[in-house]
């Protein structure tokens, strides 16, 4: 499996990091070794001094495909959850300044935390999904899929022009505003609607 991530997909987050609004989805990937399953501890990586959380809606791919049409994209995912795209922001800034790839900042071990997946019916896929992240009990990120610049179907169609989608792949669909630093001892909890699907402590 692979983990495909979308960058800069919410206008307010694009602004907070001083980036430009993209005219097509920004894609990066994380390897399988980046996946942090539910109920697994997350250890603060020793190579960074500025670890950030990015809470995102995550889709689970259920069908193999390539060159998927936007109108058929709904058939290619069947589950949703919330996840955290852990980012070594200090390393990413260096990579961006030097025009280097982001993998050291984004694709390290356990950098893709996912919650428990909920199965989706075709009708549910048409709805908007609200989600939020709490850090030590305080809401730090809150958004709706309606706020995304590129919606699920458009993301899937775009990705599949470059990368075959395979059953079990995960798609992180981008983070809204409110990204911030986490330190050892912090407790992060992510909700889809009112349902808590992901909870972890930074060790
Ligand atoms: Zn992200």
């Amino acid at each position: 499996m692979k983990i495909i991530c979308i960058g800069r997909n919410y206008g307010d987050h694009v602004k907070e990091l001083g980036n430009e609004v993209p005219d097509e989805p920004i894609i990066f990937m994380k390897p399988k070794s980046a996946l942090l399953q539910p109920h697994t501890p997350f250890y603060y990586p020793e190579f960074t001094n500025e670890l950030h959380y990015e809470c995102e809606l995550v889709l689970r791919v259920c069908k193999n495909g390539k060159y998927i049409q936007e109108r058929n994209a709904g058939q290619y995912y069947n589950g949703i959850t919330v996840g955290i795209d852990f980012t070594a922001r200090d390393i990413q800034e260096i990579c961006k300044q030097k025009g280097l790839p982001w993998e050291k900042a984004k694709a390290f071990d356990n950098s893709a935390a996912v919650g428990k997946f909920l199965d989706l019916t075709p009708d549910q896929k048409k709805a908007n999904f609200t989600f939020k992240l709490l850090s030590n009990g305080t809401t730090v990120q809150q958004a709706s899929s309606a706020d995304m610049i590129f919606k699920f179907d458009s993301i899937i169609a775009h990705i599949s022009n470059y990368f075959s989608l395979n059953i079990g792949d995960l798609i992180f669909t981008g983070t809204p505003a409110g990204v911030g630093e986490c330190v050892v001892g912090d407790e992060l909890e992510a909700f889809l609607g009112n349902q808590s699907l992901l909870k972890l402590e930074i060790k």
Side-chain angles (χ1 to χ4, degrees):
M1 61 85 72
K2 59 188 174 295
I3 302 164
I4 304 150
C5 305
I6 304 300
R8 301 176 195 168
N9 202 21
Y10 290 82
D12 52 359
H13 171 63
V14 172
K15 268 189 223 155
E16 76 180 343
L17 292 187
N19 291 313
E20 271 174 38
V21 175
D23 49 18
E24 58 177 47
I26 293 176
I27 298 175
F28 60 95
M29 300 224 260
K30 301 189 185 224
K32 192 180 173 189
S33 49
L35 187 65
L36 183 73
Q37 299 280 5
H39 312 296
T40 318
F42 178 89
Y43 293 97
Y44 197 102
E46 58 185 32
F47 50 79
T48 178
N49 290 308
E50 194 188 2
L51 180 71
H52 273 203
Y53 51 75
E54 294 189 356
C55 185
E56 315 197 358
L57 293 170
V58 181
L59 303 178
R60 182 183 61 204
V61 174
C62 63
K63 189 174 171 181
N64 298 333
K66 194 171 170 60
Y67 302 123
I68 298 163
Q69 301 281 314
E70 207 171 309
R71 65 173 186 278
N72 298 324
Q75 302 164 22
Y76 288 82
Y77 67 97
N78 68 352
I80 190 166
T81 189
V82 277
I84 299 175
D85 165 20
F86 280 110
T87 302
R89 195 71 71 200
D90 49 352
I91 311 275
Q92 190 193 26
E93 282 310 314
I94 295 168
C95 294
K96 279 162 74 176
Q97 278 165 21
K98 294 186 177 171
L100 295 172
W102 288 359
E103 274 84 350
K104 283 182 176 176
K106 284 278 196 186
F108 53 85
D109 284 1
N110 298 335
S111 61
V114 292
K116 179 179 174 285
F117 275 90
L118 301 182
D119 295 330
L120 285 174
T121 62
D123 272 353
Q124 287 171 323
K125 290 178 192 172
K126 292 177 197 137
N128 289 319
F129 296 92
T130 58
F131 63 107
K132 64 181 174 186
L133 178 71
L134 272 62
S135 173
N136 302 319
T138 304
T139 301
V140 288
Q141 291 191 278
Q142 191 160 26
S144 162
S145 55
D147 306 327
M148 298 191 307
I149 297 170
F150 302 102
K151 310 288 193 265
F152 294 158
D153 291 352
S154 144
I155 289 170
I156 286 170
H158 188 80
I159 291 170
S160 76
N161 288 334
Y162 299 85
F163 310 103
S164 297
L165 285 177
N166 295 115
I167 296 170
D169 288 349
L170 300 179
I171 303 173
F172 277 64
T173 57
T175 196
V179 300
E181 207 173 346
C182 35
V183 295
V184 173
D186 282 354
E187 200 172 81
L188 301 175
E189 186 172 17
F191 291 75
L192 184 63
N194 290 321
Q195 248 184 304
S196 171
L197 296 180
L198 171 64
K199 197 171 182 176
L200 61 83
E201 190 191 330
I202 312 287
K203 302 230 178 215

